[in-house]
Amino acid sequence: TGEGERHLGAVLGTEEFRRGYVEDKVTKWVKDVEQLSEIGKDDPQAAYAAFTKALCHRWTFIQRTIPGISELFGPLEYALRHSFLPAIVGREVSDVERKLFTLPVRLGG
C-alpha cells in the first residue's frame, strides 16, 4: 500500500502502518501464549520447549527490526506474566522471579 509494506519479514512504512502491523501481531501472539498456557497446565516442560524454541522468536525478530514499538508489547507481557508463567510454574510469580525468567539460560534464566 502507499502507507507501508512487509519487507524480509519486517515492516516498512509510516509509523501508523508499523504500529498497526505490530498491534495485529501482538494480538495473535497473545492468543498463542494463552493456548500454550493451557498446554502448560498439564505438560509444563513441553509448553516451555515450544515457547523457547519457536514462539518467542516470532517477536524478538520484530523487536529488533522495528524501532520504537516496545510499549506495544504490554499485552504480551501481561499474558506471559499472568497466564503462561503461572501455568508452567504452578503458581503466580513475583517481580524478582519474572526478572530472573527474562535472563538467558546461561545466566540462570
Side-chain angles (χ1 to χ4, degrees), residues 3-5 10-25 62 65-69 72:
E3 293 182 6
E5 62 183 63
V11 65
L12 304 170
T14 64
E15 182 176 346
E16 181 179 317
F17 182 81
R18 289 181 299 174
R19 290 178 73 82
Y21 177 83
V22 172
E23 287 171 348
D24 290 345
K25 289 289 191 182
I62 296 293
T65 58
I66 304 173
I69 58 167
L72 300 177

